[in-house]
Every structure is written in C-alpha cells, then in structure tokens.
Amino acid sequence: MKILWVFAHPEQRSLNGSLMAEGLRTLTGLGHEHRVSDLYAMGWKPVVDGEDFGDGAHERLFVGREQERAYRERELSRDIRAEQEKIAWADTLVFQFPLWWFGPPAILKGWFDRVLVQGFGFGVEGPDGRTLRYGDGGLAGKRALIVTSVGARESGFGPRGIHGSMEEVLFPLLHGTFWYTGMAALPPFVVYGADRLTEEGFSRATAALRERLRTLDTTEPLPFRHENGGEYDEHLVLRPDIAPDLTGVAAHRTQDGEVPPGPRERARAGALTGSRTR
C-alpha cells in the first residue's frame, strides 16, 4: 500500500513523535510505501487567503469559487498542489495529532481548508449530474485513519463519560471531512492518559499501533450511510423508516442487522430521487 502520514505536532521528541517513528518503521517492515507531511517542520501556512489562487483571483475573494477555478486552471499555490499530489498517490491517509480542545491543532485544520479544495475533495459531480459526497466524494476509494493522543483517561470518553464518546467527538473529521470527501473512515486509534503515560503504557501503545497498521487494509471502516444510498430524502434527512428510534450522530451509522446498500442499489436510488443538491 501507499500511505501518506500527515503529522501535526510541534515536537518530534514528544509521545506523538515517537509513535510516528514507530509507525513508519512498521510500515516499512510490512513492505508498504509511505510519504510524510510534517506540517510544523514544513512551516505549513494554515490560513486561506488570496495568495492560494494565483494571478487569476478576483478583487473580491469568493473562496469556494476561486478554489475550484484555481484547481481547474492549475493556479493553486505550489504547496497546495504538492499535498494534492501526495493524496492522489496514496491509498490510505493517516492523520496524527494531539487532541486539543476536542479537535486537531489549527495547523491541521488549515491543511484541510487549503488542500481539500472545491473540485478536488468536494463539489464533484458524477456523470448523471449528482453531487458526489458522503461516501462518493472526490477522494472515494481511499481510507483514512486518525492517530491521536488525549490527556484524559479513557473512562471519560466512555458511553456515559463526561467528554462524550470518542467517535462522536471526532465526528466532524470522521464523517464531515473523511466521509464527505469519499474516504472510508477507519475506527480512530487513541492513546488515553498521554500526559501520565508510563514506559509500560508506551510499550502497550506502540504494540497496539503496530497491530493497527498491520491490519490497515483489512480493518472494517465505520459504517456511515451513503448520501446517495436511498436512505436520505431530497432534504438530506433520513427517511422515517430508517433508524426511527435514533437521532444525532448514531442515526447516520448503519445499525447491527441492517444491510448497507451496495453500489447497484445506490445507483438505483440516485436515479429515483434525481438528487442534484449541492
């Protein structure tokens, strides 16, 4: 496999830096190819501005429109195009970061903002004119894994933990970024109690990470529902007969006993609804 490892931590000598080094050694030992985008080391610019879009940008900046135009005309800045080329090369993307304020560091958010532009990561239409997103986006066919560390104990992220379940905390990334652009979101790899981790705890964490990477191509992704799978109506709301007792994040996952629609069923559902929302 070809793996792009996007790393967002300012200190190579940190727990995260050690985990990445172990992860890359593991990938090499398994015979996989890998490339690394170490955002802090690269001095990655995290903010979107007119310099991203070349000389063709208009006086008033409409970000989505300019992203799509600059992508189509190959006028995106060189650093953005370099990251898009890495994404195109990769089968799987690994995003590693410490969880700060229940989300990734600003530098990684800026990577998403600047790299997954309209026309590349989203805003892509199929041959029938339907917008491709939530399982069928511009990056469909790729897999995405989060590797993160948190200072809190694991129990706080349990079913009744004060922080909320980790998959719900990471839902904006897992569903709103990965799945929206078509990438299959793998269950996140989380190291809890990172600020108090002992040598024994570190050994357990590295062993667990090695195992996750060994099964990177066989791990079942999170069973999110496809937008064009026939389960959502024309207003992008789940039909009343789909998971009728659930709301919120849980409703957008296929439940035990449900059979998710395959490609043929999704295509048939799209033809019936004629969805062209954007």
Side-chain angles (χ1 to χ4, degrees), residues 4 11 19 26-27 29 34 36 39-40 45 52 58 87 103 106 120 124 127 151 173 178 186 196 230 236 243 260 276:
L4 171 61
E11 178 55 73
L19 287 172
T26 299
L27 293 176
H34 61 75
V36 176
L39 301 186
Y40 282 95
K45 186 188 83 167
D52 288 353
H58 294 82
I87 294 172
F120 173 72
V124 179
L173 277 179
F178 300 164
L186 301 179
R196 300 174 298 279
L236 303 182
R276 196 183 171 92

Side-chain angles (χ1 to χ4, degrees), residues 15 25-26 36 41 43 51 62 100 103 114-115 134 157 167 207 223 225 233 249 267:
L15 167 63
R25 280 194 295 268
T26 299
V36 176
E51 294 180 359
F62 291 90
W100 289 350
R114 297 184 64 224
V115 175
Y134 288 117
F157 288 92
E167 286 186 14
R225 303 180 189 277
D233 64 20
V249 172

Side-chain angles (χ1 to χ4, degrees), residues 215-226:
T215 60
L216 200 54
D217 58 342
T218 59
T219 298
E220 286 293 322
L222 298 174
F224 293 133
R225 303 180 189 277
H226 284 76

